[in-house]
Each structure stands twice: as C-alpha cells, then as structure tokens.
Amino acid sequence: MLSAVPRPVIVRAPSKVNLHLGVGDLREDGYHELTSVFQALSLHDDIEVRDADELSVVVQGESARVVPTDHRNLVWQAAELLAERAGRDPAVAIAIAKGIPVAGGMAGGSADAAATLVALDELWELGLERADLDEYAARLGSDVPFSLRGGTAIGTGRGEKLLPVLSRNTFHWVLALAKGGLRTPDVFRELDRLRAEGDPPRLGDPDELMHALAVGDPHQLAPLLGNDLQPAALSLKPELRRTLRAGTAAGALAGIVSGSGPTCAFLCADADAAVAVSAELAGAGVCRTVRTAHGPVPGARVIDDKTEH
Ligand code: C5P
C-alpha cells in the first residue's frame, strides 16, 4: 500500500513596490496615515502547507537564516488566527521558499502571511469569503491585504484599505538587493525624526501617476514615482544613494527605494532594457545582488507546483 503522505497545498505570493508612498502624520495608534499605490511584482515566495502533528515552519532560499521560525513569523500567526476561526488545532507543516528579500521593503513577510491564509483556506476547505480573508490579512499587517489582492491598487489608512487601480501594460523593473535589511518601524521613526528637525518635502496626490498607469507608458510613469520614506531610508543607509545613481547611469528611467527599503527598484523602458540595466548594475559593486521582475502580477494564489510560471 502507498504510504499516506498528506498532499500539500502550494501558494505563490508576489512582492510589491510602492510606485507612490505618501506618508502623513503619526496617528495616536502609532501608525502613519498613508496614500500608497502598490504594484505586485513577479519576484515571489512560495508557501507549501501540509497536515502534520504540530505547527512548524521551515524557511529555504533568499536570506532564510535570518527569518524566525516561531510565533514571531507572520505565517505562524496566520495559522493560529485561521485555526481559531476554524475551531481546530493549527497542526500544519509550513515550508517557505523565499525569493523576496528579507526586511527589504518588498513585503516579503506580508506575502508569506497572505499565502498562508489562502493555503489553509484551501487545505482545511474553509470556503472563506474574500471579505473575511481581507479582514484577517489586515489584522496580520498593513501590507498583507495587498499581498492577497495583487495587481495595482491604491491603499489608504494604514495602507490596508484598498481600491484597484487601472493599469495598462506590463512594467519592467530591476531590483538592487542590499546587504542587510532595514526594519520598517525604524524607517518610519527616522522619518518622524527628520520631520521634527526640518521639513523634508512631502509628495502630493498621486492623480498624475494614476493617469500614467492607465496610459501604460513607463516614460510617463518614471518621473512620477515617489516615496516619502526614501529620505529616511537614505539617512539610515547612505550607501543607497550610490545604488540609485548607478541604476539611472546604467539606463533605468528612474530609481526609487522600495517601501521602507533598502531594496532599490528601477523602472526600465522594456524587458530588454531591464536585462541590460541588471547586467551593468551587477558589475557596479553597489549592491548585494540584482534581480529583474515585471508587474503587475496576481495576488496570493494556489499553484500546481513550483515550476509553474
Ligand atoms: O502593519 P505592520 O505591522 O506591517 O507595520 C509595521 C510597522 O511599520 C508598524 O509597527 C509601524 O511602526 C510602521 N507603520 C507605520 N504606519 C503604517 C504602516 C506601518 O508607522 N501605515
């Protein structure tokens, strides 16, 4: 007889870049009011869940060593949250294959949490409504609802209140992954400090950027990319200035710090340009490693196997 190895569920979740990240004032609950235009990118994590005797987490791939495998990991918290809702033990083995840089400003932890919600909904046949998943996602973290949804969207509140944004065409990106990460709360705190000291410029509204997305023209989009967290990320990691300069010198249309950094994202004219920029940037010695990616792509979704594209 064949041994009864439980069949896994595999879910792929995208990374993200903020095309526009407008940061408002610090709220009483410790969060900042945001206006964020997100785009989901093809650089992804895959999460595999299967029935087991107890909850466990293993991590493979990109900087796996520094990812916690206990209750500090959002996938652990996602499993406990859904188990409570389902009235069962969170007895699952979760394997995370990381492609998204850890603490890189690309929502890697949020992607894993969103993927776990989708995977356990499927494994435990919960049949959750979209609205329920969105609510659990928002409880786990500000970026988790976007990791569920994917595509291109505008987020307000903590970033968790989402509306889809019309975006034509595929955009091509080069990502410069830094040595070491930045903790999101540290970057927000640094921005508060910079704002208390002086008055760094703040982004306006993203109307023109949304128009450029609807037109689907990277040349029009490039000068409109903006991130209010960038001065704070650069203050904590001044070497990122060189990375940003090297990307545009290599032929990118524009470069920005992705979210809270330290990953730098470079928008390119097309797929060929992205390959050329990535080759040049890789040789410039201004980052740990370089990846190409495209977007928008879908949010967390069940796939048949990890070789799927
Ligand atoms: O929601 P999440 O747990 O991912 O947020 C991590 C941290 O990032 C928060 O504790 C807070 O310091 C900062 N943050 C913020 N304003 C937001 C989102 C996150 O200050 N809108």
Side-chain angles (χ1 to χ4, degrees):
M1 214 176 83
L2 288 173
S3 64
V5 177
R7 202 178 65 82
V9 174
I10 305 173
V11 174
R12 176 160 296 173
S15 55
K16 63 86 188 163
V17 62
N18 304 81
L19 308 175
H20 172 106
L21 183 51
V23 181
D25 291 324
L26 180 62
R27 310 191 314 202
E28 286 201 344
D29 63 2
Y31 287 89
H32 295 74
E33 203 61 27
L34 300 185
T35 304
S36 170
V37 181
F38 298 97
Q39 183 167 92
L41 299 188
S42 54
L43 190 71
H44 59 263
D45 285 357
D46 288 333
I47 298 285
E48 191 177 300
V49 299
R50 64 173 79 225
D51 288 321
D53 294 332
E54 59 180 16
L55 180 55
S56 68
V57 176
V58 294
V59 188
Q60 303 138 358
E62 171 72 31
S63 301
R65 288 170 297 107
V66 299
V67 180
T69 54
D70 55 20
H71 66 277
R72 290 168 298 168
N73 194 310
L74 279 184
V75 306
W76 188 286
Q77 296 167 31
E80 287 193 324
L81 193 61
L82 270 204
E84 193 188 312
R85 145 87 201 227
R88 56 184 298 159
D89 270 346
V92 282
I94 305 176
I96 306 173
K98 290 218 69 75
I100 307 174
V102 175
M106 298 199 71
S110 303
D112 300 345
T116 302
L117 293 177
V118 171
L120 292 180
D121 182 35
E122 174 88 5
L123 186 77
W124 293 339
E125 297 174 347
L126 302 178
L128 290 173
E129 301 285 338
R130 190 84 223 183
D132 292 329
L133 284 171
D134 282 342
E135 190 205 315
Y136 293 130
R139 277 211 249 164
L140 290 164
S142 305
D143 284 343
V144 185
F146 178 72
S147 301
L148 263 185
R149 191 176 296 223
T152 309
I154 182 162
T156 52
R158 284 188 291 133
E160 87 287 15
K161 292 186 196 132
L162 294 172
L163 285 173
V165 167
L166 177 67
S167 173
R168 198 165 278 127
N169 293 339
T170 292
F171 294 94
H172 296 275
W173 296 88
V174 171
L175 305 164
L177 279 53
K179 287 193 200 86
L182 280 174
R183 291 184 60 251
T184 304
D186 295 348
V187 182
F188 275 101
R189 207 172 307 118
E190 179 66 5
L191 180 64
D192 293 336
R193 195 188 66 77
L194 293 175
R195 284 180 172 173
E197 264 183 3
D199 208 4
R202 296 185 188 213
L203 290 177
D205 64 46
D207 293 355
E208 259 192 275
L209 176 120
M210 307 254 268
H211 179 72
L213 284 168
V215 172
D217 178 3
H219 293 89
Q220 202 176 322
L221 182 63
L224 303 171
L225 299 174
N227 178 2
D228 278 345
L229 284 179
Q230 182 159 313
L234 293 178
S235 167
L236 294 173
K237 265 195 186 284
E239 67 271 25
L240 295 179
R241 288 178 202 281
R242 263 185 78 214
T243 315
L244 288 171
R245 274 201 302 271
T248 39
L253 301 176
I256 46 166
V257 170
S258 177
S260 53
T263 307
C264 293
F266 298 96
L267 181 62
C268 297
D270 53 35
D272 288 345
V275 171
V277 169
S278 72
E280 186 147 342
L281 205 53
V286 292
C287 56
R288 176 168 59 85
T289 184
V290 176
R291 299 269 185 280
T292 55
H294 62 268
V297 300
R301 66 190 204 283
V302 176
I303 56 170
D304 289 336
D305 71 75
K306 291 181 201 167
T307 57
E308 202 172 283
H309 289 294

